[in-house]
Amino acid sequence: MQAFTTLTGIAVPFGAENVDTDVIIPARFLKTVTRKGLGKGAFAVLREDPDNIFDAPRHRQAPILIAGDNFGCGSSREHAPWALADLGFKVVIAPSFADIFSGNAFKNGMLLVALPQDQIDRLMEVAATDDITIDLENQVVTTPFQDRFSFEIDPFRKSCLIGGVDEIGLTEAQGAAIASFEDRLAADKPWIGGAAKRAA
Amino acid sequence: MTKPRTLYQKIWDDHVVHQRDDGTALIWIDRHLIHEVTTPQAFEALRLAGRAVRRPDLTLAVPDHNVPTNHRFEPIADPESAAQVAALAANCADFGIEHIEINAAAQGIVHVIGPEQGFTLPGVTLVCGDSHTATHGAFGALAFGIGTSEVEHVFATQTLLLKQSASMEVRVTGELGFGVTPKDVALAICGQIGTGGGTGHVIEYTGPVIEAMSMEGRMTLCNMAIEAGARAGLVAPDAKTYAYVAGRPRAPKGADMDAALAYWATLKTDPGARYDRVVIIDGSAIAPLVSWGTSPEDVVAITGNVPAPADFADPSKAAAAARALDYMGLVPGTAMADVEVQNIFIGSCTNSRIEDLRAAAAVVAGRKVAANVKQALVVPGSGLVKAQAEAEGLDRIFIDAGFDWRAPGCSMCLGMNPDKVPAGERCASTSNRNFVGRQGPGARTHLLSPAMAAAAAVTGRLTDVRDLMR
């Protein structure tokens, strides 16, 4: 995971609500065995419009996306954050995010910032002309116009984002606890183990 | 005396390997289902890090999303789809994972084969790189979709780092009316609480309508928990659950089954336990529903009309409705029962089980697919469902009526394999998502129950199935 601290850059004032993962990346782009190059499928339907906001000269390769409520609803495809990252996004700001998308984005070092709708509206306005700054350490979004919006973030996710932690490595450090859980499980619930091989 | 706990809390507590001070817990995973789309990158990462799959015996693989539903014994024509399916087989061989291969008798949609094989059990934690993993909650399993990085994490450690969700009870009271099915209940819940309504929650479905529901019906209901934004849906296991599980190939047997049954009997919410949120739905008031828009919350009774953007007080909802109506090519005020459809899809992890096929066949029997319908697919959820349906003669009913009787797979649910809805055409679909482009670029999806899809097939338009059943 790449470390994240602060970022100042252009934001795309997208604003749509209930943006589902099929909109972020349609299933026909999921037939890949790598994580790379998914930007070509990102918002594919919206980007068929030559005047779409993502390919506008001001917003192309912008690192910040501003969206509406319930961003990332629908499927569990991690291709959604991979596609957003490949398009250049490092931060998404919205009033709320769907659960699975939220986990997937975090696992890829992408910061999701939840802010109330009135603050989103203000950032949409600023994004038309000016940069936005996200300071993860201090949990604040600022603009060149003295706007200062604090946001909440899970402390575990924050420390992982700042430190660029390898989560599997972190879990492997709990190897003894996992092994003792496994032993208890085999004793207490013997029907759990060997499931796949217990074929008729 | 211990504090009363919800079913969700009990399953959670039983799977905590390590509790961190920051509120995150390391949770043990009992069951891991995998398919070809969301695993190749996870296997690649394991290889790069030199890691093994910790518990292949708790992992079961099947290809479903990319699989064509006809010409099954020929190579897959699309090279990318073929490569993904081949990669799953090769990765499973390399890492020692049991793989139900594409033409095996038991192959099917991952969320159909889990329960069918007795791999899905009450009280387990079950994950899969697919949001409709919520389906398995019908057994009182804590089952939820995960991303590919989490798939890799489960491969390597058989655990996940999770924060506990809030709990929500959705109590469905009364009794379902004539012609009203579990799919209608699932759609009614999406309509009532919205697609973000369950965000951050695990839903437990309770009440007389759920108790009366078959296992197939409970699977349909839990399948669409994700469509209401919830991470998972749960139904407390009962005698129907035990009867469904008993004797399945991978279910516990003998003394193990006795021990399992004793444990499963404890899997219910204690009297006095508190849910963080309670939603009550009057089951008796639910009519057969159809979707009109591009979100599963955009539902209306089949006896109703296409809404107008002005019907929505919230300006952003009104704008979303206007966009949806434009995409769907619908005029406000049109009776839903006047909307013609060109495609019918009976299938998907929501509605491709034997009971779904029986319900559809009962409506189709003695009737013909309408002339304006260009494509009418019935896609059983698994090879075993297909064989069962054929033993009951359901295939003849569908074929005689003019349906295509296909081999199992995700098919027309998601526009990833050859089964697609052409741009600008409508599909009466028993699947779970009516998102823009979901069934193919420009496809217009109307979500409904298998019986309602069958009714639409024989009349060529969205139809109140109750009129055909009387």
Side-chain angles (χ1 to χ4, degrees):
Chain A
M1 187 192 281
Q2 249 188 330
F4 186 102
T5 47
T6 57
L7 184 145
T8 297
I10 293 170
V12 179
F14 179 39
E17 292 186 358
N18 290 319
V19 173
D20 59 69
T21 51
D22 280 79
V23 165
I24 298 172
I25 183 155
R28 63 183 183 280
F29 295 101
L30 310 188
K31 300 178 190 183
T32 168
V33 293
T34 74
R35 298 171 196 236
K36 306 268 179 245
L38 285 157
K40 68 176 189 305
F43 298 113
V45 175
L46 298 173
R47 289 169 69 205
E48 283 167 11
D49 174 358
D51 297 327
N52 79 81
I53 194 165
F54 302 98
D55 294 312
R58 172 169 166 75
H59 298 126
R60 199 194 298 265
Q61 291 295 310
I64 305 164
L65 177 64
I66 308 175
D69 212 15
N70 197 26
F71 185 83
C73 61
S75 106
S76 67
R77 59 190 70 162
E78 197 160 318
H79 310 68
W82 294 340
L84 292 174
D86 200 42
L87 209 55
F89 292 116
K90 295 183 166 60
V91 181
V92 186
I93 306 176
S96 71
F97 299 90
D99 289 339
I100 305 179
F101 173 79
S102 176
N104 285 341
F106 156 68
K107 299 260 188 309
N108 288 278
M110 182 176 285
L111 174 62
L112 304 184
V113 176
L115 290 175
Q117 188 64 52
D118 59 325
Q119 296 177 4
I120 298 280
D121 293 344
R122 169 62 187 155
L123 294 176
M124 295 269 289
E125 200 174 42
V126 171
T129 51
D130 289 85
D131 282 1
I132 284 171
T133 297
I134 294 104
D135 176 348
L136 175 58
E137 185 66 57
N138 295 301
Q139 297 181 214
V140 66
V141 178
T142 56
T143 72
F145 309 100
Q146 268 65 58
D147 299 291
R148 194 179 164 80
F149 304 138
S150 296
F151 63 88
E152 295 297 316
I153 181 165
D154 176 76
F156 174 72
R157 288 191 175 180
K158 180 178 176 179
S159 70
C160 288
L161 285 167
I162 291 174
V165 168
D166 166 21
E167 227 187 88
I168 294 180
L170 203 66
T171 298
E172 283 176 337
Q174 295 293 329
I178 298 173
S180 81
F181 187 97
E182 248 171 342
D183 291 343
R184 273 202 319 277
L185 182 72
D188 297 349
K189 297 182 190 167
W191 64 88
I192 295 293
K197 303 297 179 195
R198 203 186 294 138
Chain B
M1 197 176 140
T2 52
K3 195 165 163 268
R5 291 181 299 165
T6 61
L7 170 58
Y8 171 48
Q9 186 70 50
K10 288 182 183 181
I11 302 175
W12 177 272
D13 290 347
D14 268 3
H15 290 85
V16 175
V17 172
H18 174 70
Q19 180 70 52
R20 291 171 54 93
D21 295 337
D22 56 23
T24 307
L26 192 62
I27 295 293
W28 174 262
I29 301 302
D30 293 312
R31 294 286 183 264
H32 190 191
L33 286 162
I34 65 173
H35 63 85
E36 79 280 17
V37 181
T38 56
T39 51
Q41 296 86 350
F43 282 117
E44 177 200 28
L46 283 186
R47 277 197 190 91
L48 287 173
R51 288 173 169 134
V53 173
R54 185 181 180 103
R55 292 295 298 266
D57 66 316
L58 305 183
T59 314
L60 184 61
V62 69
D64 58 2
H65 285 60
N66 274 283
V67 166
T69 59
N70 52 7
H71 312 302
R72 271 295 260 280
F73 289 88
E74 294 166 24
I76 300 176
D78 178 335
E80 286 181 312
S81 292
Q84 260 191 353
V85 171
L88 181 67
N91 283 325
C92 288
D94 284 359
F95 287 91
I97 294 168
E98 187 182 359
H99 171 237
I100 300 178
E101 62 95 29
I102 183 166
N103 282 317
Q107 183 271 343
I109 304 171
V110 67
H111 307 308
V112 176
I113 66 125
E116 197 171 68
Q117 290 295 315
F119 188 74
T120 303
L121 297 174
V124 298
T125 45
L126 184 154
V127 297
C128 173
D130 188 286
S131 60
H132 291 111
T133 307
T135 310
H136 309 264
F139 291 79
L142 179 58
F144 50 91
I146 57 176
T148 298
S149 294
E150 290 174 307
V151 168
E152 181 193 346
H153 196 282
V154 176
F155 278 158
T157 69
Q158 203 60 32
T159 64
L160 281 174
L161 273 165
L162 297 171
K163 205 159 192 166
Q164 200 174 347
S165 301
S167 63
M168 181 191 292
E169 179 187 23
V170 174
R171 187 155 71 234
V172 188
T173 60
E175 196 180 337
L176 295 185
F178 174 70
V180 181
T181 70
K183 181 62 164 286
D184 301 302
V185 179
L187 291 171
I189 293 167
C190 292
Q192 181 158 333
I193 73 173
T195 53
T199 302
H201 289 76
V202 165
I203 293 176
E204 182 180 349
Y205 300 98
T206 67
V209 166
I210 313 304
E211 286 159 24
M213 227 175 242
S214 67
M215 289 313 296
E216 283 87 350
R218 293 175 188 177
M219 284 188 251
T220 300
L221 186 65
C222 289
N223 173 274
M224 290 190 68
I226 184 72
E227 261 52 72
R231 193 75 195 264
L234 281 170
V235 175
D238 61 11
K240 281 182 205 173
T241 320
Y242 311 152
Y244 184 100
V245 170
R248 303 252 164 205
R250 291 163 176 80
K253 293 178 177 65
D256 276 355
M257 184 65 170
D258 295 339
L261 282 166
Y263 172 65
W264 296 346
T266 69
L267 297 174
K268 45 176 70 85
T269 293
D270 295 326
R274 292 289 299 264
Y275 298 92
D276 295 307
R277 190 177 161 201
V278 177
V279 172
I280 296 173
I281 297 202
D282 178 4
S284 309
I286 299 173
L289 295 174
V290 288
S291 69
W292 55 267
T294 55
S295 164
E297 69 185 45
D298 299 339
V299 291
V300 62
I302 181 62
T303 50
N305 297 332
V306 176
D311 298 344
F312 299 86
D314 176 347
S316 64
K317 293 262 182 244
R323 278 196 305 274
L325 291 173
D326 180 53
Y327 178 81
M328 292 297 291
L330 288 172
V331 177
T334 307
M336 289 312 298
D338 284 342
V339 175
E340 282 199 14
V341 294
Q342 298 78 38
N343 301 270
I344 307 291
F345 174 51
I346 298 173
S348 85
C349 58
T350 313
N351 281 127
S352 64
R353 298 178 183 83
I354 190 67
E355 196 172 272
D356 301 314
L357 303 189
R358 286 179 191 144
V363 174
V364 168
R367 296 185 167 106
K368 294 281 180 207
V369 170
N372 63 307
V373 172
K374 300 175 184 171
Q375 221 185 161
L377 300 190
V378 185
V379 187
S382 72
L384 300 186
V385 170
K386 183 168 188 267
Q388 170 79 31
E390 288 171 355
E392 295 179 17
L394 305 184
D395 58 325
R396 288 310 328 165
I397 294 174
F398 288 118
I399 293 165
D400 291 347
F403 278 89
D404 255 3
W405 177 250
R406 295 292 185 91
C410 296
S411 184
M412 208 183 258
C413 176
L414 87 166
M416 188 165 187
N417 54 66
D419 302 340
K420 291 187 180 71
V421 177
E425 291 188 10
R426 293 182 193 288
C427 183
S429 179
T430 68
S431 55
N432 38 55
R433 290 188 175 137
N434 51 345
F435 296 157
V436 168
R438 172 80 180 180
Q439 293 191 292
R444 292 165 169 171
T445 304
H446 294 279
L447 302 175
L448 33 54
S449 74
M452 288 282 286
V458 298
T459 64
R461 56 186 169 76
L462 299 176
T463 296
D464 190 339
V465 67
R466 295 171 297 189
D467 295 341
L468 302 186
M469 288 165 76
R470 288 201 172 95

